[in-house]
Amino acid sequence: MENTEKIKEEALNKLATIKTERELADFKTAVLGRSGTITMLMKGLKDVPPEDRPRVGKEINDVRVAVTEACDGLEKKLHRQAIEHALISDAIDVTIDKPVRSVGAVHPLNQVRKRLTDYFVGNGYIVYDSPEIETDYYNFQALNIPLDHPARDMQDTFFIEDGILLRSQTSSGQVRLMEKVKPPLKMICPGRVFRNDDDSTHSPVFHQMEGLVVDKNVTLCDLKGALEGFAKFIFGDQTKIRFRPSYFPFTEPSVEVDVSCFKCGGKGCRVCKNTGWIEILGAGMVNRKVLENCGIDPDEYQGFAFGLGLDRITMIQCGIDDIKMLWENDVRFLRMFR
């Protein structure tokens, strides 16, 4: 306690030698930190006789104030010097004539995603994001997918551990939203999904956009009208759609949706494999059990849902035969979409 002036003098002398903000930070930790010199002095007041504590406490506090003010002043000075140095070292000489670099472009997959998002938002849908690492409940159980359904097979789904997996569909986002927001609601959920599948038209990582509408008196006709508008927007006003019966655990009835080939107008060509139709998505009326799982009365509210592959839409529109071209980042390929 008799060395307060000496500690003050040594601290100020040390400050005079500091040249960088890093050194100053280390100094403040050593002197003013939890185990710093001055802090330990303050803790040592309990060992000072009671009659001397006010005087000694004031002396220690005076040292602390003096050192703190000196640190603050030096910190401002060093910070200003660092900014000045950065401005000089990072300066760009605009007088130098450099070759013009090629300009990039938005990835075709992101172009399609933005177009579709803008379309659905313009029609009153909200955009909802859900986790890519999902639980078995949201990815399967809440969507009425029983334990023996093939989608649960290890060959299809990437399981991280028991009950935790990489989502295999963005449909899990529908359940999460319906638990939080009660009808009426309109949403889309675009994002990455993961399945153990790999060939020229499938990838272990791909993109989906899920759509959901829940309200009173919603029918299959409303679904067809919504999808007709979407098809004409993305493929052209001449586009027609057709429904084919299908099966999905989370919709009943379920349909596969085809559009008339935008290349040949339905006459048959390489793009549509001479059928005149191109399959683009699956859809259907939301299963009663799914609504019940989310706390929604299926006798009062009905809904429709649809899910489309953004990669597939991009491949169809751009005439891409191999999905891997969307992931290879070949500059020659990407340059075509500037």
Side-chain angles (χ1 to χ4, degrees):
M1 291 303 178
E2 299 173 356
N3 296 328
T4 52
E5 282 300 321
K6 181 180 179 182
I7 291 174
K8 174 182 176 182
E9 182 179 352
E10 290 178 349
L12 295 178
N13 289 338
K14 176 64 177 178
L15 274 174
T17 66
I18 291 177
K19 302 298 182 183
T20 67
E21 291 179 291
R22 179 70 265 173
E23 292 177 358
L24 178 59
D26 293 340
F27 170 83
K28 291 172 70 175
T29 300
V31 177
L32 300 171
R34 285 188 176 182
S35 301
T37 308
I38 296 178
T39 304
M40 297 307 294
L41 284 177
M42 294 294 291
K43 292 181 179 179
L45 274 174
K46 65 180 184 299
D47 299 324
V48 176
E51 63 272 13
D52 294 332
R53 285 178 189 172
R55 175 182 58 81
V56 175
K58 182 178 183 304
E59 291 178 2
I60 297 174
N61 189 61
D62 290 343
V63 173
R64 183 185 63 78
V65 171
V67 173
T68 301
E69 291 178 348
C71 287
D72 292 343
L74 181 59
E75 185 175 23
K76 293 179 181 178
K77 176 183 176 181
L78 293 176
H79 184 64
R80 183 171 61 255
Q81 290 177 350
I83 293 176
E84 292 173 351
H85 180 267
L87 290 174
I88 295 173
S89 61
D90 297 340
I92 299 175
D93 187 352
V94 296
T95 64
I96 297 178
D97 186 17
K98 294 186 177 180
V100 178
R101 297 185 181 274
S102 59
V103 179
V106 178
H107 193 282
L109 187 60
N110 286 332
Q111 292 183 32
V112 171
R113 174 173 174 160
K114 184 178 187 306
R115 282 192 67 200
L116 294 181
T117 300
D118 289 346
Y119 170 78
F120 285 112
V121 170
N123 282 273
Y125 291 72
I126 65 169
V127 181
Y128 183 75
D129 191 21
S130 64
E132 293 182 349
I133 299 178
E134 193 54 276
T135 65
D136 182 274
Y137 173 79
Y138 286 107
N139 199 77
F140 291 126
Q141 297 178 40
L143 291 169
N144 192 38
I145 300 179
L147 290 173
D148 58 351
H149 193 277
R152 288 177 172 269
D153 196 296
M154 289 292 290
Q155 280 70 35
D156 292 331
T157 306
F158 291 105
F159 288 91
I160 300 175
E161 58 183 50
D162 187 29
I164 304 297
L165 48 86
L166 296 179
R167 67 178 180 186
S168 58
Q169 54 203 0
T170 49
S171 305
S172 57
Q174 297 182 6
V175 178
R176 288 183 174 274
L177 182 64
M178 284 191 288
E179 285 183 344
K180 298 176 182 177
V181 180
K182 297 310 175 186
L185 60 88
K186 298 173 70 175
M187 63 84 79
I188 56 171
C189 180
R192 291 188 304 178
V193 294
F194 309 84
R195 295 182 189 177
N196 193 5
D197 202 356
D198 188 13
D199 55 42
S200 62
T201 58
H202 298 86
S203 170
V205 183
F206 58 103
H207 298 79
Q208 280 188 342
M209 178 176 286
E210 204 83 16
L212 172 71
V213 173
V214 180
D215 203 344
K216 295 180 179 179
N217 303 316
V218 175
T219 68
L220 200 63
C221 293
D222 297 309
L223 171 61
K224 186 175 183 182
L227 294 182
E228 276 186 338
F230 150 74
K232 291 180 183 296
F233 170 78
I234 199 72
F235 296 114
D237 291 336
Q238 78 288 347
T239 305
K240 299 178 181 179
I241 70 170
R242 72 176 183 183
F243 283 178
R244 290 182 289 109
S246 186
Y247 169 74
F248 303 111
F250 32 85
T251 54
E252 179 60 38
S254 304
V255 294
E256 296 282 359
V257 182
D258 301 333
V259 296
S260 57
C261 181
F262 60 92
K263 286 289 186 182
C264 65
K267 298 178 181 179
C269 66
R270 181 184 65 85
V271 174
C272 61
K273 300 178 181 179
N274 295 313
T275 65
W277 296 92
I278 302 174
E279 179 185 332
I280 59 167
L281 57 87
M285 301 300 294
V286 180
N287 194 298
R288 291 175 58 91
K289 292 185 178 179
V290 175
L291 294 174
E292 290 173 351
N293 290 339
C294 299
I296 297 174
D297 184 358
D299 293 322
E300 182 178 4
Y301 292 99
Q302 301 79 41
F304 64 75
F306 56 88
L308 56 94
L310 293 176
D311 309 72
R312 177 166 176 77
I313 299 295
T314 303
M315 292 174 67
I316 292 173
Q317 282 209 311
C318 300
I320 300 172
D321 296 326
D322 192 337
I323 193 173
K324 294 179 179 61
M325 296 180 70
L326 296 174
W327 295 90
E328 290 175 345
N329 288 327
D330 188 326
V331 176
R332 296 168 298 177
F333 168 75
L334 297 176
R335 193 176 292 129
M336 298 168 56
F337 302 95
R338 283 194 299 199

